[in-house]
Amino acid sequence: MRDGEVTRRRFLQSVGVSGGAGALFATMGALGLAPARAATPKFCPPHPSDFRLTGRAARKIVILGGGIAGLTAAYELGKAGYDCTVLEARDIAGGRNLTVRGGTAETDLDGHTQRASFSPGTYFNAGPARIAQWMVTLDYCRELGVPIQPFVNANADALIYNEGDGAPVRMRTAKADLYGYVSELLAKATDQGALDGRLTAEDRERLLSFLEDFGDIGPAHEYTGSSRRGFTAYPGAGENTGTPLPGPPSLSDVFASDVGRYLSFEFGYDQAMMMFQPVGGMDRIVTALTAAAGRQRVRLGARVLNVTGRASDVTVTYRQDGRDHAITADFCIATLPPHLMAKVPHNLGATVTAALAGFFPFAAGKIGLEYRNRWWENDLRIYGGATQTDLDIAQVWYPSHDFHARRGLLVGYYHFGPAAETYGALIPAERTARAVAQGVKIHGEKYRSELDSAFSVAWQRTPHLEAAWAYPPWDDSTGFRLLLQPAGRVYFAGDWLSQAVAWQHGAFLSARAAVTALHQRVLTS
Amino acid sequence: MRDGEVTRRRFLQSVGVSGGAGALFATMGALGLAPARAATPKFCPPHPSDFRLTGRAARKIVILGGGIAGLTAAYELGKAGYDCTVLEARDIAGGRNLTVRGGTAETDLDGHTQRASFSPGTYFNAGPARIAQWMVTLDYCRELGVPIQPFVNANADALIYNEGDGAPVRMRTAKADLYGYVSELLAKATDQGALDGRLTAEDRERLLSFLEDFGDIGPAHEYTGSSRRGFTAYPGAGENTGTPLPGPPSLSDVFASDVGRYLSFEFGYDQAMMMFQPVGGMDRIVTALTAAAGRQRVRLGARVLNVTGRASDVTVTYRQDGRDHAITADFCIATLPPHLMAKVPHNLGATVTAALAGFFPFAAGKIGLEYRNRWWENDLRIYGGATQTDLDIAQVWYPSHDFHARRGLLVGYYHFGPAAETYGALIPAERTARAVAQGVKIHGEKYRSELDSAFSVAWQRTPHLEAAWAYPPWDDSTGFRLLLQPAGRVYFAGDWLSQAVAWQHGAFLSARAAVTALHQRVLTS
């Protein structure tokens, strides 16, 4: 396995990038750290008996940042009786796990305030939105009693739209044509003996049998279309065998249209279906985690001013309600974004600051568009999933829940890097106008006329976050490794200190690692 | 498009068959009818004003069979005020749309009675279970207010189990290996110039670029594995990049294992994700349809004895509660399974009887296995979807709903033809024992030890149905065509008179066609 190459590519795809990798040069190779593989023991949460049986006392912990990593640390340590306090600069907990509902207000770094006017029941997961089956996020949903439902991350009836190609094509059609021609070419090459050096007679026979089925090319080994492409009118009653879609295009046209670059997204280890979402909004996790950690432990609007570590404790000063406060604890877990933590005055040393500052904050944006009717279901028969485009909106997501409801919310863009910077530099109304104009190209005028309201996030312009996520430096793992160790009594945690940057999963895992290390230290000291 | 070939193969796959087509010789070519394509006008349901505006009166209709076709006919005709009576021989409406819950009792033709002891909330869709996005079934769900949720018809983390191969492999792993080797072979053939006669230089470049991504083979055009295969331990916190799965196997081993034959199932026009199910059980459609048609119009336990058509009306005699009754109506719509309708005495002519008797009843069986815990989610991280096997159980379905609930119900087999006949010939307890013994091969002893209770259906042994579905004769469309026309005042309808045999969708469409023809006749007579 070419780990570097494979993983790096997947890493970029993992953030939802499909094709157009040009946007991502800045972040390429975030996994070029080529870290050594370390076996991770199963996580054992701290437990009350850990202290009762050892005669030790639970300690006081101050946690910087009330995102998923911070809340998880408070929750897990709280299981053993640690006295945790979480300082969160924003007015709500959860960090990038932000679900926008009617009434949600956000003011960005440029002073633009948006207040969502979504209908009751409508929500927009502005941050994380999907959870793979194997991710620890699902374990927390189970443990915390947060119901889950499928998130549609791939849908054969969603569209591919490349501006130069004209009309959009359904994913199933592109897939049938690509697999058909690939199978035809390989079958013909095999028939002609081109692979005789590589294949035994048995291999050859099995390969051909596979290709006939895989590409639907029949015994003649020619792709001339397939019912898999879909129909203009599907087979019906009586003798109505349906109206096939026009096509297929020629082999040259299929490859020239570049629809193929959207296909591998759904193979990714972190993106392959099935995927899931909490019922009612991603922030159900935040709500449950906060309740489980203890609502009174989370101080909102509390901005960290200074961290001073000493041999025996840590003092954190912070500003809340216009007043400065200080809290002294046995340990600190710092989960602020690294580029922001780097700016917090502290006495942990210049190498820590440099390591934090070495991370690359990355831009991403998302817009929620509420429509008065679900035309994508009623007219287009698209029930969830994403349309992939080469436009600057990158993709359009159809909702994975409340199917057949009267209204619905699309994600009108989810994009990264330069496109996100461009949209983020616009005032919110201009973002909406631009996103809608792009969507009209795919979906026609109803994309504008049926729109009710919009809400957009530009994470890089969001106070106290200032990035969608942050990558470690690609060419030097020294800083990354430094921050995996405590700086005295200060531990670091966040998705940025995991192999799942930009995933909640990474924040959960990193918090668990910090909790494990800290608890082990307390138990053995 | 090789319609005959493509559609026939899809037709077989549409019933959930994957590989092992040997089981299906008897039914091959059901679409060999090669029917002419007929344009279908949009369905316009009968409307009260159709009569008010024409001065005509709504007529009396007797409908034989209270399955989806019969109920739909009653519902649609009822919209215009037709006086419909539905005669259903079974004790519940819905026909094969049967959802088994705790307390459901069924006695088969062999006299074996099963009474389900499933827990509250647990259900088993013994008949139809999945709905494609484009199917009219979803329109009825919308119109009737039946909430829907995703049905997981493909899951990268579900398994493939071929008995000869030993351990099961996840679908994602098989897919990565197959796509990897296919891409490698085609890229190498292309590199060697084997396809120069077929491809322009531009085609070649685009093809190679596609293959590098599609197969994850890198610029060296060699498949040596991929993160897409999945991990023994997924990438984690800090520098833990995870533990890759062992492998990949050699090209020869991958093709020899024949995992490839399970792949194309998810490309089918009727099986590709997304697919859906009603929340709470497929029979929610039956309940809603019955309520909308008028519960009092559906006579249960009413077995048809005779149909006598005349120039001006139709008389149907039936037995209910041990007594014989007669009903005379203006028209009749006969939706009984064709092989059973063929045995009902009537005066419609010998050609009608022959046409009905010409259909081929087909066997299929399903078993619901309720487990005390959801080990497939908790231990295997499989959230919905199906494991495909070459065992006589064919497949194991994991539930698509109530994720993370305490209990759950698997479909322990869904199989056809000879396998269904074999299991159907066993008494229910023996079916369970045999199915569980097969499942243990894949999932280990917990497949037996965690089992709570079971309920199986053998449709071919179910009274008043006596088949899972019925195919028209493959070599002569005369009878099929005859039944598309009314026999005097008797119309025929059912999935067996559609291009979607074995799908509720076909029953809905066929009923609509009969309703349209009948209503048109009434309006113009």
Side-chain angles (χ1 to χ4, degrees):
Chain A
M1 174 144 56
R2 291 149 299 94
D3 235 309
E5 179 55 29
V6 174
T7 317
R8 185 177 306 117
R9 194 168 349 130
R10 285 299 320 140
F11 196 66
L12 296 175
Q13 291 178 343
S14 78
V15 300
V17 176
S18 50
L24 284 163
F25 282 164
T27 68
M28 283 291 287
L31 288 188
L33 288 170
R37 270 183 208 119
T40 311
K42 192 170 154 52
F43 175 65
C44 294
H47 192 268
S49 64
D50 295 345
F51 291 122
R52 277 203 304 269
L53 299 178
T54 61
R56 289 186 176 80
R59 308 303 169 84
K60 188 169 174 181
I61 314 288
V62 59
I63 296 169
L64 315 186
I68 294 299
L71 294 173
T72 302
Y75 168 59
E76 294 292 357
L77 289 168
K79 289 177 179 173
Y82 283 89
D83 175 14
C84 298
T85 302
V86 179
L87 304 177
E88 169 54 50
R90 287 165 51 82
D91 291 333
I92 53 169
R96 290 161 289 167
N97 181 328
L98 172 67
T99 299
V100 177
R101 295 188 175 78
T104 301
E106 282 282 340
T107 301
D108 66 20
L109 291 173
D110 305 304
H112 303 126
T113 297
Q114 292 179 82
R115 184 176 296 274
S117 59
F118 296 146
S119 316
T122 296
Y123 66 84
F124 164 44
N125 287 332
R130 46 191 168 193
I131 310 167
Q133 282 164 104
W134 51 267
M135 288 181 171
V136 74
T137 313
L138 282 195
D139 297 282
Y140 279 95
C141 288
R142 187 197 293 114
E143 182 169 325
L144 297 167
V146 174
I148 58 167
Q149 63 190 181
F151 175 90
V152 183
N153 207 34
N155 184 346
D157 278 330
L159 309 175
I160 294 175
Y161 180 82
N162 288 332
E163 192 159 17
D165 294 342
V169 60
R170 293 206 195 245
M171 181 62 82
R172 72 163 85 228
T173 312
K175 196 183 263 193
D177 290 344
L178 284 158
Y179 292 6
Y181 284 123
V182 161
S183 296
E184 174 185 322
L185 290 173
L186 183 51
K188 289 212 188 287
T190 307
D191 289 338
Q192 290 157 15
L195 295 158
D196 285 0
R198 181 72 208 281
L199 303 173
T200 67
E202 232 176 2
D203 292 342
R204 214 160 37 232
E205 195 179 319
R206 288 167 174 156
L207 173 64
L208 289 173
S209 158
F210 170 74
L211 294 174
E212 287 175 19
D213 179 44
F214 176 67
D216 205 3
I217 54 173
H221 298 170
E222 266 179 40
Y223 179 66
T224 54
S226 166
S227 62
R228 297 174 188 170
R229 304 181 78 236
F231 289 79
T232 301
Y234 276 86
E239 298 191 290
N240 174 11
T241 54
T243 309
L245 285 176
S250 71
L251 182 153
S252 290
D253 286 348
V254 167
F255 284 103
S257 75
D258 206 14
V259 289
R261 68 177 168 135
Y262 301 103
L263 253 69
S264 68
F265 173 76
E266 69 185 56
F267 310 151
Y269 73 89
D270 47 1
Q271 297 286 5
M273 287 279 273
M274 288 303 294
M275 299 194 79
F276 290 85
Q277 65 180 8
V279 175
M282 191 59 84
D283 66 351
R284 298 291 195 230
I285 293 176
V286 176
T287 307
L289 207 49
T290 305
R295 212 174 305 273
Q296 76 290 355
R297 298 192 172 279
V298 184
R299 299 190 187 167
L300 299 175
R303 188 163 61 82
V304 175
L305 302 175
N306 183 283
V307 177
T308 302
R310 283 176 293 267
S312 59
D313 56 25
V314 185
T315 297
V316 175
T317 58
Y318 63 99
R319 185 162 297 156
Q320 190 183 29
D321 299 328
R323 289 171 46 205
D324 290 0
H325 308 260
I327 183 167
T328 296
D330 295 295
F331 297 96
C332 172
I333 301 179
T335 73
L336 306 191
H339 47 289
L340 299 187
M341 187 66 201
K343 297 180 194 166
V344 173
H346 63 75
N347 71 339
L348 308 174
T351 55
V352 165
T353 305
L356 291 164
F359 279 72
F360 293 102
F362 193 60
K366 242 188 200 177
I367 193 168
L369 303 173
E370 184 180 7
Y371 282 90
R372 288 182 203 99
N373 69 78
R374 295 168 85 100
W375 45 264
W376 53 91
E377 293 173 2
N378 302 342
D379 303 343
L380 299 178
R381 314 292 295 208
I382 300 174
Y383 287 76
T387 282
Q388 302 291 343
T389 83
D390 63 354
L391 303 173
D392 59 16
I393 55 171
Q395 49 197 319
V396 174
W397 288 8
Y398 310 95
S400 295
H401 52 277
D402 295 341
F403 299 103
H404 286 166
R406 201 164 63 81
R407 296 168 157 266
L409 181 137
L410 300 186
V411 172
Y413 59 72
Y414 177 30
H415 53 199
F416 317 93
E421 302 276 7
T422 301
Y423 276 73
L426 302 176
I427 64 168
E430 288 171 351
R431 292 178 199 157
T432 304
R434 182 162 170 168
V436 168
Q438 297 289 55
V440 164
K441 294 178 185 171
I442 308 166
H443 287 305
E445 263 307 314
K446 63 181 169 291
Y447 203 83
R448 196 191 318 271
S449 61
E450 298 303 312
L451 181 66
D452 194 359
S453 69
F455 192 101
S456 58
V457 284
W459 287 109
Q460 69 280 7
R461 305 303 300 152
T462 302
H464 308 301
L465 292 168
E466 299 191 21
W469 49 81
Y471 291 113
W474 67 273
D475 54 353
D476 182 0
S477 59
T478 315
F480 186 89
R481 284 183 178 157
L482 180 71
L483 299 173
L484 293 177
Q485 302 303 321
R489 290 177 168 263
V490 178
Y491 291 76
F492 299 95
D495 64 297
W496 49 283
L497 283 178
S498 81
Q499 299 298 315
V501 172
W503 289 96
Q504 277 185 104
H505 171 69
F508 280 118
L509 289 179
S510 176
R512 284 180 166 204
V515 163
T516 301
L518 189 159
H519 187 50
Q520 191 62 23
R521 178 166 164 187
V522 167
L523 288 184
T524 55
S525 64
Chain B
M1 174 143 57
R2 292 152 296 97
D3 234 308
E5 180 55 28
V6 174
T7 318
R8 184 177 308 115
R9 192 163 356 127
R10 287 298 320 139
F11 195 68
L12 296 174
Q13 291 178 343
S14 77
V15 300
V17 176
S18 49
L24 286 163
F25 281 163
T27 68
M28 281 290 285
L31 288 189
L33 289 171
R37 268 180 210 121
T40 309
K42 194 171 153 51
F43 174 65
C44 294
H47 193 269
S49 64
D50 295 346
F51 291 121
R52 277 203 304 270
L53 299 178
T54 61
R56 289 184 175 80
R59 309 302 171 86
K60 188 169 175 181
I61 315 287
V62 60
I63 297 169
L64 315 187
I68 294 299
L71 295 173
T72 302
Y75 168 59
E76 294 292 358
L77 289 169
K79 288 178 180 174
Y82 282 90
D83 175 14
C84 299
T85 302
V86 179
L87 304 178
E88 169 54 50
R90 286 165 52 80
D91 291 332
I92 52 168
R96 290 160 289 166
N97 181 327
L98 171 68
T99 299
V100 177
R101 295 187 174 78
T104 301
E106 284 281 341
T107 301
D108 66 20
L109 290 174
D110 305 305
H112 304 126
T113 297
Q114 293 178 81
R115 185 176 296 274
S117 59
F118 296 146
S119 316
T122 295
Y123 66 84
F124 164 44
N125 287 332
R130 46 192 168 191
I131 310 168
Q133 282 164 102
W134 51 267
M135 288 180 171
V136 73
T137 314
L138 283 195
D139 296 279
Y140 279 95
C141 288
R142 188 199 291 114
E143 182 168 324
L144 297 167
V146 174
I148 58 166
Q149 64 190 181
F151 175 90
V152 182
N153 206 34
N155 185 345
D157 278 331
L159 309 175
I160 293 174
Y161 180 83
N162 288 332
E163 192 159 18
D165 294 341
V169 59
R170 294 207 194 245
M171 181 62 81
R172 73 163 84 228
T173 311
K175 196 184 264 193
D177 290 345
L178 284 158
Y179 293 6
Y181 283 124
V182 161
S183 296
E184 174 185 320
L185 290 173
L186 183 51
K188 288 213 190 286
T190 306
D191 289 339
Q192 290 157 15
L195 294 158
D196 285 1
R198 180 73 208 278
L199 303 173
T200 67
E202 235 176 357
D203 291 342
R204 216 160 37 233
E205 197 179 317
R206 287 167 174 155
L207 172 65
L208 290 173
S209 158
F210 170 74
L211 293 172
E212 287 175 18
D213 179 45
F214 176 68
D216 205 3
I217 55 173
H221 298 170
E222 268 182 33
Y223 179 68
T224 54
S226 165
S227 63
R228 296 173 187 169
R229 305 181 77 237
F231 290 77
T232 301
Y234 276 86
E239 298 190 291
N240 173 12
T241 55
T243 309
L245 286 177
S250 71
L251 183 152
S252 291
D253 287 347
V254 167
F255 285 103
S257 76
D258 205 16
V259 289
R261 70 178 167 133
Y262 302 102
L263 254 67
S264 68
F265 173 76
E266 69 185 55
F267 308 151
Y269 73 89
D270 47 0
Q271 296 285 4
M273 288 278 274
M274 287 302 292
M275 298 194 80
F276 290 84
Q277 66 180 7
V279 175
M282 191 57 83
D283 66 351
R284 297 295 195 227
I285 293 176
V286 176
T287 306
L289 207 48
T290 304
R295 211 172 307 273
Q296 76 289 357
R297 299 191 172 280
V298 183
R299 300 191 186 164
L300 298 175
R303 188 162 61 81
V304 176
L305 301 176
N306 182 283
V307 177
T308 304
R310 284 175 293 266
S312 58
D313 55 25
V314 185
T315 297
V316 174
T317 57
Y318 62 97
R319 186 161 298 157
Q320 190 182 28
D321 298 329
R323 287 173 45 207
D324 290 0
H325 307 260
I327 182 167
T328 296
D330 295 295
F331 297 96
C332 172
I333 301 180
T335 73
L336 304 191
H339 48 288
L340 298 188
M341 187 67 202
K343 296 181 197 164
V344 174
H346 63 76
N347 71 341
L348 306 174
T351 54
V352 165
T353 305
L356 290 164
F359 279 71
F360 293 101
F362 193 61
K366 242 188 199 178
I367 193 168
L369 303 173
E370 184 179 9
Y371 283 90
R372 288 180 202 100
N373 69 78
R374 295 169 85 99
W375 46 264
W376 53 91
E377 293 173 4
N378 302 343
D379 302 343
L380 299 178
R381 312 293 294 207
I382 300 175
Y383 287 75
T387 282
Q388 302 292 343
T389 82
D390 63 354
L391 303 172
D392 60 17
I393 54 171
Q395 49 198 321
V396 174
W397 288 7
Y398 311 95
S400 295
H401 52 276
D402 295 340
F403 299 104
H404 285 167
R406 200 165 63 82
R407 295 169 159 264
L409 180 136
L410 300 187
V411 173
Y413 58 72
Y414 176 31
H415 54 199
F416 316 93
E421 301 277 8
T422 301
Y423 276 73
L426 302 176
I427 64 167
E430 288 171 350
R431 294 178 200 159
T432 305
R434 182 160 170 171
V436 167
Q438 297 289 55
V440 164
K441 294 179 185 170
I442 308 166
H443 287 305
E445 263 308 313
K446 63 181 167 295
Y447 202 86
R448 196 188 320 270
S449 60
E450 298 302 314
L451 181 66
D452 194 358
S453 69
F455 191 102
S456 57
V457 284
W459 287 110
Q460 69 280 8
R461 305 304 300 151
T462 302
H464 308 300
L465 292 168
E466 298 191 23
W469 49 81
Y471 292 114
W474 67 273
D475 54 353
D476 182 358
S477 58
T478 315
F480 186 87
R481 284 182 179 158
L482 180 71
L483 299 172
L484 293 177
Q485 302 304 320
R489 289 177 168 264
V490 178
Y491 291 76
F492 299 94
D495 64 296
W496 47 284
L497 283 177
S498 81
Q499 298 299 314
V501 173
W503 290 96
Q504 277 186 102
H505 171 68
F508 280 118
L509 289 179
S510 176
R512 283 179 167 206
V515 163
T516 301
L518 189 159
H519 188 49
Q520 191 62 26
R521 177 166 166 187
V522 168
L523 287 186
T524 56
S525 63

